[in-house]
Amino acid sequence: MSSPPPPAAAVPADDAVELGTARGRWVVLATVLASGVAFLDATAVNVALPTIGAELGASLAALQWTVNGYTLTLAALILLGGALGDRYGRRRVFVIGVVWFALASLLCGLAQDTAQLVAARALQGVGGALLTPGSLAILQASFRPQDRARAIGLWSALGGIAGLVGPFVGGFLVDAVSWRWVFGVNVPLAAAVAVVAVRHVPESRDPDAHGRFDVLGSITGAVALGGVTYALIAAGDDPGTAAVWTSAAIGVAAAAAFVVRERRAAAPMLPLGVFADRQFTGANLSTLAVYGALGGFSFFLVLQLQTVLGYGATLAGAASLPPSILLTLLSARAGALAQRIGPRLPMTVGPLVAATGLAWLSAVDAGSGYWSAVFPGSVLFGLGMALLVAPLTATVLAAAPDHLAGVASGVNNAVARAAGLLAVAALPVAVGLSAGGELGATDFSAGYQRALLICAGLMVAGAGTAWATIRNDVLHD
């Protein structure tokens, strides 16, 4: 999920970029391409999972880690990535992230077994944590104040195209060439981004950024997410093993250490005081539920379509297009609606509509037709998400003090990533799928139905949280 950036220390006025100029177009191109590559990769990989599993002999647990290896390091380091850009230069850290992402993508494409693939995916997440916060911060800092809103709007519109084409392109590459090219295509795109950024993007940094980085906070946060994720995935084989309980204990202890560290640190990565606002906390709890459902839906649907319904990768990718199309077309209107009537109702109704779509999709099984079963549920899910996402993002930023807008945006992004991470780790265990076994159509189909119903329940929980905590005047305070 993408949020508007905080007010950033801009480049000098005489070096500020004008949107309608050639340089302005180059800056937009660099940021759009970089964010698009990361987003395209994230959406395309899901479509490739069954083929990866067949070629590498991967178990369900290995496929979970193929998704979560990336999400884990991205979620754990995204706040630190933003802070590094503020301190050492947003363009510099952005370019490092782009090059890092490209090299890690190359390693993913060359992986000979699942252990190598998961390790390379974790390295990809580090690159993503460096380039993702830099994209929006560069736009905010580089353009003239009167051009920033339009530049960010253009970035959002063009970046949404990656979400549209990602699953389809990924499926096409899997069917026409190899799953390895889902990663390989990132390399030339990233090279183009690096060249454009070095030549055309002005450098900017925050002159007030000083002091030590909260490295200990980043480490304890990563260990907490990693320990809990490992425990949940490993529990799919035998929840009573020492490895499961040990990793769970390490994760919980690291989470407690993270909270203690953030309370005591002079410059914490996550100032816990921001959660004193009831609406900010409520919006992030709603995010946790809603994006957990989204992560579970994205993981399970493409596997069901290919493993049980026999879709090819290209068709499975195309079948997931309706939600992305609706998000792209309707998000701006949903944001305007929330501005006019308040965000409480859209943030409540949106998840309920999405939950209805997930309940519909839970019935998709062998022999189900696309137009009668998959398409209606996907449309309902997409309508619900389109109604929700923009009001949710606006509420998170509006509920935080202006000087903490950057923290608010980063926290909400991290919460969304962590929600998807935990959902992909926990749902297979919750629905009784064996983590060590290969995918079988009959067993997986039963687990898929239960997983989608759980995701629908998470959407309802997100709706209830929003109704209980969000005020309609938050966007006008």
Side-chain angles (χ1 to χ4, degrees), residues 278-324:
R278 182 170 178 262
Q279 293 189 96
F280 181 82
T281 301
N284 278 285
L285 287 174
S286 184
T287 297
L288 187 68
V290 166
Y291 279 83
L294 176 61
F297 158 80
S298 301
F299 181 76
F300 274 90
L301 179 63
V302 293
L303 290 176
Q304 179 77 350
L305 292 178
Q306 294 182 68
T307 303
V308 178
L309 276 71
Y311 283 28
T314 304
L315 189 56
S320 62
L321 285 177
S324 297

Side-chain angles (χ1 to χ4, degrees), residues 12-41:
D14 57 357
D15 197 30
V17 178
E18 186 176 348
L19 183 58
T21 63
R23 192 182 189 196
R25 287 189 286 271
W26 281 118
V27 172
V28 171
L29 177 65
T31 56
V32 165
L33 272 181
S35 300
V37 166
F39 194 24
L40 185 150
D41 187 88

Side-chain angles (χ1 to χ4, degrees), residues 2-5 28 31-32 35 39 136 139 149-163 327-328 331-332:
S2 299
S3 303
V28 171
T31 56
V32 165
S35 300
F39 194 24
L136 282 169
L139 291 177
R150 286 195 298 140
I152 293 169
L154 187 61
W155 176 91
S156 299
L158 295 175
I161 296 174
L327 269 170
T328 301
S331 286

Side-chain angles (χ1 to χ4, degrees), residues 338-430:
Q339 190 70 37
R340 187 168 68 251
I341 69 171
R344 189 186 189 200
L345 191 60
M347 287 178 62
T348 302
V349 174
L352 293 177
V353 174
T356 304
L358 291 173
W360 186 301
L361 287 167
S362 70
V364 171
D365 205 344
S368 295
Y370 174 75
W371 292 108
S372 61
V374 180
F375 182 75
S378 296
V379 168
L380 284 171
F381 180 78
L383 286 172
M385 292 300 293
L387 188 59
L388 164 72
V389 170
L392 173 59
T393 301
T395 298
V396 166
L397 291 174
D402 288 345
H403 69 283
L404 291 178
V407 171
S409 176
V411 167
N412 195 241
N413 269 283
V415 168
R417 311 282 184 179
L421 170 77
L422 295 174
V424 171
L427 278 174
V429 179

Side-chain angles (χ1 to χ4, degrees), residues 33-453:
L33 272 181
S35 300
V37 166
F39 194 24
L40 185 150
D41 187 88
T43 55
V45 167
N46 282 339
V47 179
L49 288 176
T51 304
I52 292 173
E55 184 170 322
L56 298 183
S59 64
L60 178 60
L63 297 183
Q64 290 173 271
W65 276 114
T66 299
V67 175
N68 279 347
Y70 175 81
T71 312
L72 174 62
T73 51
L74 177 61
L77 300 176
I78 194 168
L79 291 176
L80 181 61
L84 287 170
D86 289 342
R87 173 79 66 83
Y88 295 115
R90 299 182 180 99
R91 184 185 66 184
R92 176 184 297 176
V93 173
F94 173 78
V95 171
I96 291 172
V98 169
V99 173
W100 187 306
F101 190 90
L103 294 175
S105 296
L106 184 61
L107 291 176
C108 289
L110 296 174
Q112 298 302 303
D113 56 44
T114 53
Q116 293 177 15
L117 179 58
V118 170
R121 287 283 284 164
L123 290 174
Q124 256 193 324
V126 176
L130 296 176
L131 74 87
T132 300
S135 297
L136 282 169
I138 283 172
L139 291 177
Q140 182 75 1
S142 299
F143 282 98
R144 302 181 307 169
Q146 61 267 37
D147 287 336
R148 289 172 186 165
R150 286 195 298 140
I152 293 169
L154 187 61
W155 176 91
S156 299
L158 295 175
I161 296 174
L164 292 176
V165 304
F168 180 78
V169 170
F172 173 78
L173 289 172
V174 169
D175 286 340
V177 192
S178 166
W179 64 266
R180 298 180 185 278
W181 277 97
V182 172
F183 301 104
V185 74
N186 294 334
V187 177
L189 292 174
V193 171
V195 170
V196 171
V198 169
R199 290 185 176 181
H200 300 286
V201 174
E203 185 60 283
S204 65
R205 53 177 51 84
D206 183 358
D208 296 326
H210 54 80
R212 294 183 178 180
F213 289 110
D214 188 13
V215 176
L216 183 58
S218 295
I219 293 173
T220 53
V223 172
L225 286 173
V228 173
T229 300
Y230 181 87
L232 289 171
I233 293 177
D237 280 334
D238 185 356
T241 62
V244 170
W245 287 100
T246 300
S247 60
I250 291 173
V252 171
F258 175 78
V259 173
V260 171
R261 166 64 183 176
E262 299 311 283
R263 285 185 178 276
R264 296 179 177 177
M269 179 178 71
L270 175 58
L272 297 179
V274 74
F275 290 100
D277 188 286
R278 182 170 178 262
Q279 293 189 96
F280 181 82
T281 301
N284 278 285
L285 287 174
S286 184
T287 297
L288 187 68
V290 166
Y291 279 83
L294 176 61
F297 158 80
S298 301
F299 181 76
F300 274 90
L301 179 63
V302 293
L303 290 176
Q304 179 77 350
L305 292 178
Q306 294 182 68
T307 303
V308 178
L309 276 71
Y311 283 28
T314 304
L315 189 56
S320 62
L321 285 177
S324 297
I325 292 173
L326 290 167
L327 269 170
T328 301
L329 294 178
L330 301 179
S331 286
R333 295 184 180 183
L337 176 66
Q339 190 70 37
R340 187 168 68 251
I341 69 171
R344 189 186 189 200
L345 191 60
M347 287 178 62
T348 302
V349 174
L352 293 177
V353 174
T356 304
L358 291 173
W360 186 301
L361 287 167
S362 70
V364 171
D365 205 344
S368 295
Y370 174 75
W371 292 108
S372 61
V374 180
F375 182 75
S378 296
V379 168
L380 284 171
F381 180 78
L383 286 172
M385 292 300 293
L387 188 59
L388 164 72
V389 170
L392 173 59
T393 301
T395 298
V396 166
L397 291 174
D402 288 345
H403 69 283
L404 291 178
V407 171
S409 176
V411 167
N412 195 241
N413 269 283
V415 168
R417 311 282 184 179
L421 170 77
L422 295 174
V424 171
L427 278 174
V429 179
V431 301
L433 292 174
S434 173
E438 295 187 11
L439 295 178
T442 302
D443 291 341
F444 186 81
S445 189
Y448 162 84
Q449 181 179 22
R450 291 190 290 268
L452 267 286
L453 291 175

